[in-house]
Amino acid sequence: MSASPVFVAIIGAGTVGSSFIPQLQNLIKNTTNRAIFPILIARSSKCLVSRDYTGLDLNNWSADLSASTITPPTFPNETLKWLKSAPGEVVLVDNTSSLEIAQSYPAFLSAGIHIVTPNKKGVSDSLELWDNIFNSARQGGNATGGYFYHEASCGAGLPIINTITDLVKTGDKIKKVEGVFSGTMSFLFNTFHPASGTCDEKFSAIVDKAKAAGYTEPDPRDDLNGLDVARKLTILARLSGLKVPNPTSFPIESLVPAELEAGSASDFMAGLPKFDSAIEERKAAAEKENKVLRFVGKLDVDKNQVSVGIEAFERGTAIASLRGSDNVISFFTERYGANPLVVQGAGAGAEVTAMGITADLIRVLERL
Ligand code: NHO
């Protein structure tokens, strides 16, 4: 071993975290030039912790965590103090969807702790938080700050954030970004309104399937109300140079009926079948024009415009022909001219999202 050891603390071990941990285990096994010690795996109410920083055994982590009676260190205070005392570089992996945790990123980054995360909240909430995060990070010029990477906050493991960052850093100018940004919405509409063949399934039944497949956010309303796509566009707009104040500062078409906005996620799932007829009517109207419905996002830098909603597309177009949970994102830039740079592939799901997080962790390791 030649490189200095790195300590990894994981907050959040749900759908995505549970896929990330085996990938981390594999990375530890295959990294021969440095020791990587997992020192914390925390859920909301319990955790596994290696207080002496010698590292956790990940072989039975899920059963060990379920059996654990240890309460996680408080966040941010105890966690920050403990991580600062680690005998080497620390990477915090935030696999939660918590805004509260994201609001503490600047404190962790300022203390030299690196962060990798699929959590969209920090990078899509207020512009003030965005500025604080990047001003505290090493990439933002803070020489002693931690690195901050969030590739999986948009398009799971697809190279979206890195692509747009590279375009901008190399002097290209982003003109427009358009496409299908939600794996859940892609799956819902590709299934409900396929470009070839027919579908007799109810929209609400397909929402159930998307949740079971791990495509949706913890509360599927965050996908269906368009906010998940709005958050992704906010991130891309900011990386393109637009000062978007927050993800609700532009038009968003919500598919969540007003009656189901309040209440628990399970109340929402139970109430959704009552509203199937409204979306059936839109499907029938698109069908009359020989088009299919898709849920898209658009960002126009010159016009300073962002929008999110359903549109009808001619059969045969790239967006109409998408399959499964695929995202397709087109970057129109000065350098790429009329033919955009296009990124396409699975944009949701635990394994592909975890891959984006693991790749970010590797990015940090390569810089240490
Ligand atoms: P879960 O399953 O609810 O797990 C969250 C975990 O965090 C739980 O273990 C919970 O106990 C823990 N937790 C929460 N607050 C905590 C606290 N204060 N302290 C300690 N632990 C705490 O959530 P997921 O599904 O695993 O999601 C995790 C993160 O990944 C979220 O930020 C989510 O937005 C993000 N993410 C997920 C996906 C995906 O495919 N599931 C994607 C990207 C990011 O690219 C994907 C995507 O965009 C999906 C999107 N829905 C789409 O396109 O359809």
Side-chain angles (χ1 to χ4, degrees):
M1 302 260 168
S2 52
S4 53
V6 168
F7 300 86
V8 178
I10 303 161
I11 313 269
T15 307
V16 172
S18 298
S19 285
F20 167 73
I21 292 168
Q23 293 188 19
L24 172 64
Q25 213 175 355
N26 200 38
L27 179 67
I28 292 171
K29 199 173 90 195
N30 293 328
T31 306
T32 50
N33 69 333
R34 110 163 52 234
I36 301 169
F37 297 104
I39 53 170
L40 177 71
I41 302 177
R43 284 199 174 129
S44 304
S45 57
K46 50 173 71 182
C47 76
L48 295 174
V49 59
S50 168
R51 291 205 192 278
D52 60 0
Y53 306 104
T54 52
L56 297 166
D57 177 355
L58 296 183
N59 283 323
N60 291 308
W61 73 269
S62 183
D64 293 347
L65 181 56
S66 298
S68 170
T69 52
I70 307 169
T71 312
T74 63
F75 201 91
N77 294 352
E78 281 176 14
T79 308
L80 180 56
K81 191 171 166 212
W82 179 62
L83 294 183
K84 271 163 72 173
S85 305
E89 303 271 2
V90 177
V91 184
L92 177 73
V93 183
D94 172 18
N95 289 328
T96 75
S97 56
S98 161
L99 174 60
E100 200 188 354
I101 289 189
Q103 282 166 335
S104 298
Y105 291 167
F108 283 76
L109 292 167
S110 299
I113 293 164
H114 313 288
I115 297 177
V116 299
T117 185
N119 184 350
K120 298 155 197 149
K121 301 275 169 65
V123 277
S124 65
D125 210 76
S126 71
L127 198 52
E128 187 190 0
L129 180 56
W130 167 277
D131 285 339
N132 284 341
I133 291 171
F134 284 97
N135 290 339
S136 309
R138 185 94 46 109
Q139 297 104 311
N142 177 5
T144 57
Y147 285 108
F148 177 76
Y149 291 108
H150 60 103
E151 180 62 74
S153 65
C154 186
L158 294 177
I160 306 289
I161 303 297
N162 276 299
T163 298
I164 196 164
T165 305
D166 284 352
L167 287 167
V168 172
K169 278 210 282 195
T170 57
D172 202 352
K173 185 173 177 317
I174 311 295
K175 295 172 108 36
K176 285 192 291 182
V177 184
E178 292 179 355
V180 171
F181 292 84
S182 162
T184 298
M185 291 296 209
S186 187
F187 176 79
L188 294 180
F189 283 97
N190 299 343
T191 310
F192 178 65
H193 204 172
S196 60
T198 53
C199 166
D200 297 326
E201 260 182 300
K202 298 287 180 205
F203 191 73
S204 56
I206 307 171
V207 175
D208 273 333
K209 280 190 180 170
K211 182 157 171 48
Y215 298 152
T216 67
E217 293 301 301
D219 183 339
R221 278 173 296 196
D222 288 342
D223 295 291
L224 289 168
N225 66 12
L227 191 57
D228 180 71
V229 176
R231 287 194 184 282
K232 291 168 181 167
L233 279 167
T234 299
I235 299 167
L236 296 180
R238 288 174 178 171
L239 290 170
S240 305
L242 291 185
K243 300 272 179 211
V244 175
N246 60 61
T248 53
S249 58
F250 47 83
I252 306 172
E253 182 178 357
S254 171
L255 304 189
V256 176
E259 294 89 326
L260 298 181
E261 275 170 8
S264 69
S266 42
D267 291 343
F268 166 72
M269 296 298 282
L272 199 55
K274 273 198 291 179
F275 298 89
D276 278 328
S277 56
I279 190 89
E280 290 284 355
E281 282 167 23
R282 290 188 74 167
K283 177 177 168 178
E287 230 5 270
K288 276 192 189 146
E289 297 176 354
N290 198 24
K291 290 180 176 174
V292 292
L293 299 178
R294 296 291 179 259
F295 197 88
V296 293
K298 293 181 173 177
L299 147 67
D300 189 318
V301 176
D302 291 335
K303 291 187 182 151
N304 194 5
Q305 277 174 359
V306 185
S307 63
V308 170
I310 297 183
E311 277 186 34
F313 288 85
E314 307 263 350
R315 288 185 156 85
T317 57
I319 286 185
S321 314
L322 276 182
R323 285 166 186 268
S325 67
D326 277 9
N327 285 183
V328 60
I329 294 164
S330 302
F331 297 95
F332 295 85
T333 77
E334 225 161 59
R335 203 179 276 149
Y336 278 83
N339 295 325
L341 186 166
V342 180
V343 180
Q344 181 173 347
E351 280 297 313
V352 286
T353 305
M355 173 239 160
I357 305 164
T358 309
D360 276 350
L361 173 58
I362 293 169
R363 229 162 257 129
V364 173
L365 296 177
E366 285 170 351
R367 282 160 177 71
L368 300 180

